[in-house]
Amino acid sequence: MFGHNFKCALKTLFKNKVLLFWTFAFPIILGTLFHMAFQDIESNETLDVIDIAIVENESWKENKILSHVFDELEGDLFSITYGSEEEAIALLNDHKISGYLILSDTLKVVVKENGIDQTVLKFVVEEITETEEIMKQIAFRNPMKEESFYQNLYSMIGQIQNENKVELVDISNQNLSYTMIEFYTLIAMTCLYGGMLGLYVVNQNLANQSHNGKRIAVSPTPKWKVILSSALAGYVVQLVGIALLFLYTTFVLHVDYGNDILKVIFLTLMGCFAGLSMGIMIATLFKVSENTKTGIIIAFTMLCCFLSGMMGITMKYLIDKNIPILNLINPASMITDGFYALYYYDTFSRYYFDLMSLFLFSLLMILLSIRSLRRQKYDSI
Amino acid sequence: MKKVIEVKSLTKEYKGLRAVDDLSFDVYSGEILGLLGPNGSGKSTTINCLLSLLKFQTGSIQIFGKSMSPTAYEIKKQIGVVFQEVAVFQELTVRENIEYFCGLYIKNKKMRNEYVEEAIQLVGLEEFKKFYPKQLSGGLLRRLNIACGIAHKPKLIFLDEPTVAVDPQSRNHILDGIKRLRNEGATIIYTTHYMEEVEILCDRVIILDKGKIIASGTPDELKELAKIEEKVSVEIEKISTEKLEEMKRFKNVDDVKYIDGILVVTYQKGKNNLIHLIDYLKKENLQYNKIYSERPTLNDVFLELTGKELRD
């Protein structure tokens, strides 16, 4: 009976055009649009190395911290020409540099016009000046070894580099683009859209939800067998959908999901399970029409994806910074963050945390559904 | 005869409304029992209670001598249900639908295939096996609905208004199929508000109104309950009130009505009523078109018992 029902559920799901659109076609279409949109944005937003000049006066030569910092930033963020103030002014007038630095009592930035390069230069100098001051004070109160001093210095340089997005920390030796977050949310969306499959299979099998459910309920097949086999079929269809999306984004859009494929697959399996169980919960708990339930799933999924950065990466950072609890209960964030953790960190603690959060989310959804799923008789149908 | 179903004091309330009110009845092996009543009389609710789909407040239900419950799988194996609403998968073909529902009862694939073919034949869908439900007409869809419910050859069949909104050709096909099922040994519970179907099919009838049994028996026994024995209808263009009053005083006449150009004279008993009426019309020089005499119908019985028509 289990196999018979599983086979039939697979057949009905694969022939349901509406479900196929949302779980197969829509993510691929959206992925293509992302690719088209972000390809341009990313190339426009890549920062070039900024040409600057530094007036190499006595003050500069005596300040080891600043000269060390700018030596480190040379090539990554700045292309530096050292010389006299007159030479710097001449270069600035000839538009060969964006600005120059001159150290007297304080470090001054001289620019001639406004622009991104000038803003970055000003921002970096402010950061360096502030950190330099802090380090000087710490060294004064608590003299540290030269080694520790330089460790702190390198840490500061790394921070500056990161904050200016010149070069993202790259553990896997791959080129990670920040638009990857968009593709992570796309995967999360596809996982959660599996909720529609969960909704459909439950609706088709419960006597109080559909006519087919009534007919199945009067048959001698135990309810758990019907629900479980149908849900399994829904899961299989969902996995086929997500596999297609992975293949398409990897081979056609050239999205790189990293090297740890097994962990990527495991995270996706758990994400799909979370989506399916969410659909089952909505199907059993909400006493509204099937269309309304579908609407609830779509709206909830889109909200979760929006909060996890689908419509702008800033949202993810804002939530992380201001309402981190939201990311802990948002299944899309759990999936997105899992991918992010796989890519960004060399330890897997954050990845496993996300995996466990997804499992707990799914468990909660299933537990909420069980009471309704176990019901055998109804007040009205 | 052997009891297949035994219902005792079944009461079902929902939101303060008593949908089934202290219902007790038996169904015997091999019979077609008609549950007759207007919409909202409690027919479908009774069926859903019998099938353990609905909770009920009081009463007991025994099917095949055992207490019916949602997990009474041995009983369920022997039951087939055709619901009022068409319950099929739109994504499966005619054959796939029947095969799927049959498969919930029959594990053996070979046997299942034979049963499916027989069901297709019974409802006359041989030419539509590969059609999808949306490609079928309303009548054909109803036939598919029936095939899905009876393909596993159940001993007890519930048919809940299977001919609603069906064309005459499909209706005849369905009614013939039901007779065949009974002839093959099935016990059938047939709910409808079409009295003609009940008269053609049912061995016994229970008339329901507001969740209560108001009468039960064979169709002939029920007709005995009506005061009238004959009903004569005459198509006539015009007739005066005086003449109607005069006709009411005729021997054996129960009532005389003139509605929408039809004169209806009902007689409590007696012979040659029709001849006497024709003689009177000739004598009074009243021109008429058609004239016909009928036995009282179950609708008349219902009217007599409740003061309203079955299809109200």
Side-chain angles (χ1 to χ4, degrees):
Chain A
M1 251 15 122
F2 191 93
H4 174 74
N5 199 63
F6 174 77
K7 215 172 96 182
C8 170
L10 263 189
K11 214 182 259 183
T12 53
L13 289 170
F14 273 120
K15 285 184 180 178
N16 189 311
K17 285 175 190 159
V18 176
L19 285 176
L20 288 189
F21 172 78
W22 286 108
T23 51
F24 281 42
F26 183 65
I28 287 177
I29 294 168
L30 204 58
T32 310
L33 294 175
F34 276 169
H35 180 72
M36 287 158 65
F38 296 129
Q39 204 177 24
D40 287 346
I41 289 171
E42 195 162 62
S43 60
N44 288 342
E45 287 194 356
T46 303
L47 285 174
D48 294 327
V49 174
I50 303 166
D51 292 312
I52 62 167
I54 291 174
V55 177
E56 210 172 19
N57 54 18
E58 285 308 310
S59 304
W60 181 266
K61 283 174 187 167
E62 283 168 13
N63 192 317
K64 281 187 179 175
I65 297 175
L66 286 179
S67 55
H68 202 94
V69 168
F70 278 90
D71 281 349
E72 285 295 321
L73 294 174
E74 163 87 76
D76 287 338
L77 185 58
F78 300 123
S79 170
I80 306 169
T81 307
Y82 292 92
S84 65
E85 191 172 3
E86 289 74 25
E87 285 168 341
I89 292 168
L91 287 170
L92 188 64
N93 288 337
D94 293 345
H95 301 284
K96 286 184 177 163
I97 55 171
S98 300
Y100 68 88
L101 308 180
I102 180 162
L103 181 65
S104 50
D105 296 339
T106 55
L107 183 63
K108 278 196 277 188
V109 180
V110 182
V111 294
K112 207 177 170 186
E113 54 201 34
N114 292 323
I116 292 172
D117 289 353
Q118 287 78 3
T119 308
V120 171
L121 175 62
K122 191 169 174 291
F123 175 77
V124 171
V125 168
E126 278 171 7
E127 285 272 302
I128 290 169
T129 315
E130 278 174 23
T131 317
E132 182 207 11
E133 192 56 38
I134 292 166
M135 285 176 69
K136 272 182 185 169
Q137 285 190 20
I138 291 170
F140 177 73
R141 288 178 195 165
N142 184 19
M144 59 181 114
K145 291 178 183 174
E146 194 178 358
E147 193 186 332
S148 302
F149 180 84
Y150 280 105
Q151 262 179 7
N152 285 342
L153 190 64
Y154 289 134
S155 159
M156 180 186 82
I157 294 164
Q159 200 180 336
I160 291 166
Q161 285 173 327
N162 271 340
E163 283 174 2
N164 289 282
K165 293 185 175 51
V166 174
E167 179 191 84
L168 292 163
V169 176
D170 191 353
I171 288 157
S172 56
N173 295 323
Q174 305 291 325
N175 294 318
L176 179 68
S177 128
Y178 73 85
T179 59
M180 284 293 289
I181 293 286
E182 308 295 340
F183 283 98
Y184 295 161
T185 60
L186 183 70
I187 300 289
M189 184 199 77
T190 312
C191 288
L192 296 185
Y193 268 164
M196 275 186 275
L197 296 163
L199 166 72
Y200 179 79
V201 296
V202 167
N203 261 7
Q204 288 299 316
N205 291 307
L206 291 187
N208 63 340
Q209 304 287 342
S210 67
H211 302 321
N212 286 351
K214 265 170 84 177
R215 177 163 269 164
I216 292 165
V218 298
S219 77
T221 308
K223 195 174 180 179
W224 70 265
K225 269 191 192 176
V226 178
I227 298 281
L228 201 63
S229 55
S230 303
L232 187 65
Y235 194 54
V236 168
V237 173
Q238 200 183 359
L239 293 184
V240 172
I242 205 122
L244 282 178
L245 180 66
F246 267 118
L247 289 173
Y248 178 74
T249 51
T250 305
F251 294 110
V252 180
L253 305 184
H254 305 293
V255 174
D256 184 0
Y257 293 100
N259 295 328
D260 210 336
I261 291 299
L262 273 179
K263 284 198 171 60
V264 167
I265 290 173
F266 201 60
L267 181 66
T268 312
L269 288 176
M270 192 51 83
C272 287
F273 183 56
L276 193 80
S277 53
M278 179 192 75
I280 291 173
M281 190 278 287
I282 288 172
T284 53
L285 250 62
F286 291 82
K287 287 188 165 76
V288 287
S289 71
E290 189 172 345
N291 284 342
T292 311
K293 287 177 191 175
T294 306
I296 291 171
I297 290 179
I298 294 173
F300 181 73
T301 302
M302 293 319 288
L303 178 69
C304 288
C305 291
F306 168 70
L307 295 176
S308 65
M310 180 177 248
M311 286 81 176
I313 196 167
T314 324
M315 183 53 71
K316 184 174 166 56
Y317 293 130
L318 278 176
I319 302 280
D320 264 335
K321 200 176 166 188
N322 301 312
I323 336 168
I325 184 81
L326 210 56
N327 280 340
L328 296 177
I329 56 169
N330 176 358
S333 276
M334 296 171 201
I335 300 167
T336 309
D337 200 72
F339 282 112
Y340 182 85
L342 267 184
Y343 219 107
Y344 270 80
Y345 298 101
D346 53 355
T347 60
F348 296 115
S349 55
R350 187 161 167 173
Y351 167 81
Y352 287 124
F353 178 78
D354 287 318
L355 213 56
M356 185 52 73
S357 305
L358 275 173
F359 174 73
L360 290 175
F361 174 83
S362 312
L363 193 69
L364 178 71
M365 296 293 109
I366 297 291
L367 287 175
L368 285 171
S369 316
I370 277 179
R371 190 173 165 267
S372 186
L373 285 174
R374 283 183 64 186
R375 250 165 71 195
Q376 301 274 12
K377 280 187 179 183
Y378 303 91
D379 286 324
S380 71
I381 47 177
Chain B
M1 270 199 292
K2 199 177 161 188
K3 275 183 197 171
V4 173
I5 298 178
E6 195 175 355
V7 180
K8 281 184 186 164
S9 307
L10 181 70
T11 301
K12 160 77 185 165
E13 283 179 5
Y14 181 63
K15 290 185 177 174
L17 181 83
R18 190 164 278 206
V20 177
D21 193 355
D22 198 26
L23 222 62
S24 296
F25 64 92
D26 299 326
V27 184
Y28 298 95
S29 178
E31 74 171 343
I32 300 182
L33 174 77
L35 285 180
L36 186 65
N39 289 330
S41 59
K43 304 185 298 286
S44 297
T45 307
T46 303
I47 298 258
N48 287 332
C49 287
L50 293 183
L51 293 168
S52 262
L53 287 172
L54 284 179
K55 290 177 188 168
F56 48 87
Q57 278 66 41
T58 59
S60 69
I61 296 163
Q62 296 239 316
I63 299 181
F64 297 118
K66 291 174 187 166
S67 182
M68 182 60 177
S69 75
T71 52
Y73 300 125
E74 284 307 311
I75 300 175
K76 284 182 165 185
K77 269 183 192 170
Q78 303 173 71
I79 296 176
V81 188
V82 177
F83 289 104
Q84 196 172 337
E85 309 86 7
V86 175
V88 294
F89 286 98
Q90 295 300 320
E91 299 86 2
L92 301 181
T93 63
V94 164
R95 199 190 185 287
E96 285 170 340
N97 262 300
I98 302 171
E99 207 258 336
Y100 168 68
F101 287 111
C102 185
L104 295 175
Y105 297 79
I106 309 290
K107 278 185 185 175
N108 185 301
K109 207 172 176 183
K110 195 182 165 202
M111 188 192 276
R112 194 159 75 213
N113 280 333
E114 282 172 19
Y115 282 14
V116 169
E117 289 305 323
E118 283 179 39
I120 289 172
Q121 226 177 5
L122 181 85
V123 296
L125 286 175
E126 295 94 328
E127 292 169 28
F128 304 97
K129 280 185 205 177
K130 290 183 179 174
F131 280 54
Y132 285 92
K134 66 179 175 194
Q135 296 170 306
L136 301 177
S137 67
L140 293 175
L141 208 53
R142 289 268 162 197
R143 293 197 218 173
L144 169 62
N145 197 36
I146 292 173
C148 290
I150 54 94
H152 57 286
K153 295 198 172 174
K155 287 182 185 165
L156 172 63
I157 303 170
F158 291 86
L159 293 157
D160 191 3
E161 310 221 20
T163 56
V164 169
V166 163
D167 59 281
Q169 192 198 350
S170 282
R171 176 174 295 204
N172 290 337
H173 217 108
I174 290 168
L175 297 181
D176 287 344
I178 292 166
K179 282 180 196 165
R180 269 179 64 186
L181 289 169
R182 193 263 305 272
N183 294 341
E184 286 168 12
T187 304
I188 295 169
I189 298 186
Y190 190 86
T191 78
T192 184
H193 59 267
Y194 296 126
M195 54 172 182
E196 306 87 351
E197 290 181 2
V198 170
E199 292 196 39
I200 294 167
L201 281 177
C202 298
D203 303 305
R204 224 154 47 84
V205 182
I206 290 175
I207 300 181
L208 289 173
D209 188 39
K210 294 176 182 169
K212 281 186 174 173
I213 295 178
I214 55 168
S216 68
T218 63
D220 284 338
E221 283 170 350
L222 288 173
K223 283 174 194 171
E224 293 292 317
L225 293 173
K227 283 195 295 183
I228 58 167
E229 195 174 289
E230 189 179 13
K231 187 165 83 176
V232 178
S233 304
V234 187
E235 279 183 22
I236 195 162
E237 275 186 19
K238 203 176 174 187
I239 189 163
S240 66
T241 318
E242 292 78 28
K243 292 213 165 33
L244 291 176
E245 290 301 318
E246 192 183 340
M247 289 164 79
K248 278 184 185 173
R249 292 191 291 274
F250 287 177
K251 197 182 166 189
N252 298 328
V253 167
D254 177 62
D255 196 13
V256 179
K257 281 180 187 164
Y258 182 72
I259 305 163
D260 297 333
I262 307 280
L263 170 70
V264 181
V265 185
T266 49
Y267 297 89
Q268 288 179 353
K269 56 183 178 179
K271 289 178 181 173
N272 303 322
N273 294 323
L274 179 61
I275 295 168
H276 291 146
L277 182 64
I278 292 171
D279 285 347
Y280 173 75
L281 295 173
K282 274 186 183 171
K283 196 181 85 184
E284 295 297 321
N285 208 15
L286 291 164
Q287 298 294 314
Y288 59 90
N289 294 320
K290 284 180 193 165
I291 185 162
Y292 47 94
S293 168
E294 294 169 286
R295 293 264 293 140
T297 63
L298 289 174
N299 193 38
D300 296 314
V301 177
F302 192 79
L303 188 66
E304 182 77 35
L305 294 169
T306 66
K308 61 185 179 189
E309 302 248 357
L310 262 170
R311 292 182 197 181
D312 279 354

